[in-house]
Amino acid sequence: GPQSFTGEDCAELHVHGGPAVVSGVLRALGRLPGLRPAEPGEFTRRAFRRGKLDLTAAEGLGDLIRAETEAQRRQALRQMEGELGQLYQRWSETLTQALAHLEAYIDFSEDDNVEEEVLSQGEGWQGGGEAGMPRPCRPVPPNPRSPRSLPSVDATVQALEQEIGAHLRDGRRGELLRGGVHAVIAGPPNVGKSSLLNLLCQRPAAIVSPVAGTTRDVVEVALNVGGYPLVLSDTAGLRDTTDPVEQEGVSRARNRLQQADLVLAVLDATAVPAEPAGLGAALGSLLPPSTPSCILVLNKADLLRGGGGALRDACAQGDPLLPTALLSCKTGEGLDHLLELLARQLAHLCGDPLAGSPSLTQSRHSLHLGDCAAALARYGRERRGDLGLAAEQLRLARRQLGRITGHVGAEDVLDIIFRDFCVGK
C-alpha cells in the first residue's frame, strides 16, 4: 500500500494447477490466525473506504466484470477510470464554493467581515501587504438584506442547473448500453417473426410452424450486434382473436411494444403494396404512432414474382426516416443489410462510449441528479425572498451529488468559508 487496489498492504499468491490446488491453498491459509475468506465485494468496499474509488468507479468496475460487448467494455472502463466521478465531483466542488460564499454572506456580512465584492469575484485576499505578503480584505459594509448582491453565486447556480439538465437529456444512452437495447419483433401472424429470431441468433430459439398463432408467449434472447448489446423479443402475432390463450399472448406483445427501445416490424413481402406510400400505410395500420425507433422488415422475399423488382425499388426510395430491409429468412438473402441497419440503429441509440462527456449509466444517478436539478431550480425561486431558504436548497442539491459518488460532508463548506473570506482572524 498505498499503490495496491485497496490502498492497503497485500500479498498475491500465484499457484499452479486446477481447483483442487487452489482449494488446498485456501484451506492452508484458513488455518492461519487472523485470516478469513473475503466477503462478496469486500475488496472493492475497502478500496472505496480508503478513497481509491468513489461509488461511480466501483459501479464501473462491476459493469466491466459483467460486460459482454466491446461497447459495454469501453463504457465501463471509462467509468471505472473515474471520468464520470470526476464530472460529478467538479459539479460538487462548484456547488460547494457557491454555498460557502452564500453562507459566509449570510453569517458574517452584518459584522462587516465579508466584502460584497468578494461574493462576485470569489477572492478573499488583496495584495500590497508588508514584505509582499497578502493582507486581509478591508471590509466594505454591505446591505445584508439585498437579494441583488450575489451575482457570482446566482450565475454559478444557473450555469450548473443548465449543465446538469443537458446531462440528463442524453436519451438514456449510457443506460441502454449498460443494460442492452430492448428490441421487439412485431407483426401479424405467420409473417416469419419467429423465423427472424432464429435467423438472428443462429439457433432454434423459437418454435416455427405454418399454423398462424403458434407463438403465444414472449421469447427473449440476448445478442451482440456490431459490439452493442441487444435484447431481442419475439412476440405473438398482432390480430383480433377469440382464443383466450392467444388473447393473452397478443396483450403481452402490445405491452412489450410500449416498453421497447426499438421495433422490428415484420410484414409479408408478397402482401404489401410495391410503393413507398403503401408501405407506410401498411406499417401505420400495424403499429401505434408512439412507436419508438423502428426497422421495417419485409420477409419472404424468395416468394416474390420476378425477383420483386418493383418492391426493391420502393424500399430503396422509401421514407428516409424508416429503414427498410427486404429479407428471406428461408435463404438468408438480405440478412447482411438487416444487420447493418440494426448496428446503425444501436449506435444511434447508445452513442459512442468514448466520445464526449461520459453518459449516465445507472437509474440511481438519474434519480439523484433529477433531485439536484430540482433543488437548484427552487434556489432561483427562494433567492428572491429568504436567503436562508435559498442556501438550504444548495445544501440539498450538494447532498444529492454526494450520494452519487459517496462523498457527503460539511467540512468542505467550512474550509472554503475560512479560506476565501479570512473569517476568524
Side-chain angles (χ1 to χ4, degrees):
Q3 301 303 320
S4 64
F5 175 75
T6 64
E8 304 166 316
D9 291 337
C10 67
E12 294 185 4
L13 303 181
H14 297 258
V15 299
H16 300 283
V21 175
V22 175
S23 298
V25 172
L26 291 177
R27 285 195 302 271
L29 291 174
R31 290 192 290 268
L32 298 178
L35 295 186
R36 61 169 177 81
E39 299 292 336
E42 183 173 352
F43 283 98
T44 304
R45 180 185 289 269
R46 286 170 175 252
F48 167 73
R49 286 178 172 172
R50 295 183 67 88
K52 300 287 288 187
L53 299 172
D54 65 10
L55 288 184
T56 62
E59 289 167 335
L61 176 59
D63 291 345
L64 182 63
I65 293 172
R66 293 185 292 269
E68 297 180 350
T69 72
E70 178 63 16
Q72 286 178 319
R73 183 192 70 82
R74 291 178 179 178
Q75 176 172 271
L77 188 60
R78 187 178 185 186
Q79 182 172 333
M80 190 196 74
E81 290 176 344
E83 286 197 44
L84 193 62
Q86 290 168 9
L87 175 65
Y88 297 156
Q89 185 62 29
R90 177 173 64 81
W91 289 347
S92 181
E93 291 171 356
T94 300
L95 193 53
T96 298
Q97 183 165 351
L99 175 60
H101 288 189
L102 178 58
E103 290 192 341
Y105 182 78
I106 293 173
D107 294 341
F108 303 110
S109 61
E110 293 184 355
D111 297 329
D112 294 343
N113 283 325
V114 179
E115 290 187 12
E116 190 171 356
E117 289 81 357
V118 169
L119 299 174
S120 60
Q121 298 173 3
E123 297 292 340
W125 293 89
Q126 295 176 349
E130 294 182 4
M133 297 295 293
R135 57 183 174 82
C137 309
R138 289 192 298 269
V140 177
N143 177 7
R145 303 299 179 189
S146 172
R148 301 285 184 182
S149 56
L150 300 170
S152 177
V153 173
D154 292 345
T156 297
V157 171
Q158 184 178 12
L160 187 58
E161 181 184 359
Q162 293 174 352
E163 192 172 353
I164 292 176
H167 186 62
L168 286 169
R169 294 188 298 271
D170 71 341
R172 298 178 52 244
R173 291 197 304 265
E175 293 183 52
L176 290 177
L177 181 54
R178 177 177 178 268
V181 175
H182 287 262
V184 171
I185 302 175
N190 216 21
V191 294
K193 299 185 299 298
S194 297
S195 298
L196 175 59
L197 178 75
N198 293 343
L199 180 64
L200 289 174
C201 68
Q202 296 294 299
R203 62 184 177 87
I207 297 175
V208 175
S209 167
V211 179
T214 300
T215 302
R216 303 294 183 93
D217 207 345
V218 177
V219 180
E220 190 173 270
V221 296
L223 301 175
N224 181 347
V225 178
Y228 293 93
L230 178 69
V231 181
L232 189 60
S233 300
D234 180 28
T235 59
L238 301 176
R239 68 171 177 177
D240 295 328
T241 178
T242 58
D243 186 331
V245 179
E246 189 176 356
Q247 285 179 347
E248 176 63 23
V250 172
S251 175
R252 294 187 180 190
R254 296 193 185 280
N255 288 337
R256 281 299 179 102
L257 274 175
Q258 294 177 355
Q259 302 168 6
D261 305 309
L262 175 65
V263 175
L264 299 182
V266 184
L267 296 176
D268 188 339
T270 64
V272 296
E275 70 275 351
L279 290 176
L283 185 65
S285 64
L286 176 68
L287 301 177
S290 59
T291 300
S293 301
C294 181
I295 296 176
L296 176 60
V297 180
L298 302 177
N299 188 31
K300 305 184 181 181
D302 57 295
L303 300 180
L304 291 172
R305 295 180 179 178
L311 186 57
R312 295 180 189 277
D313 293 340
C315 293
Q317 302 170 10
D319 188 345
L321 298 179
L322 184 61
T324 304
L326 193 59
L327 176 71
S328 170
C329 290
K330 183 177 181 179
T331 66
E333 176 191 0
L335 177 60
D336 290 341
H337 179 54
L338 175 59
L339 290 175
E340 180 183 340
L341 293 179
L342 260 177
R344 195 180 305 163
Q345 288 289 330
L346 294 176
H348 173 72
L349 290 171
C350 297
D352 185 348
L354 298 182
S357 178
S359 299
L360 285 164
T361 60
Q362 305 266 354
S363 58
R364 182 182 75 85
H365 302 173
S366 300
L367 176 64
H368 290 309
L369 285 175
D371 291 342
C372 176
L376 295 179
R378 291 193 298 269
Y379 165 84
R381 296 191 294 269
E382 300 290 356
R383 172 71 175 77
R384 295 186 290 270
D386 191 318
L387 290 181
L389 293 178
E392 178 61 22
Q393 298 307 321
L394 295 189
R395 281 190 287 271
L396 291 175
R398 180 174 175 272
R399 192 174 302 126
Q400 294 299 330
L401 286 177
R403 286 175 177 172
I404 299 178
T405 60
H407 299 152
V408 181
E411 289 299 320
D412 294 337
V413 177
L414 297 178
D415 290 343
I416 292 178
I417 288 177
F418 286 92
R419 182 195 70 198
D420 284 359
F421 299 114
C422 325
V423 175
K425 286 293 288 183

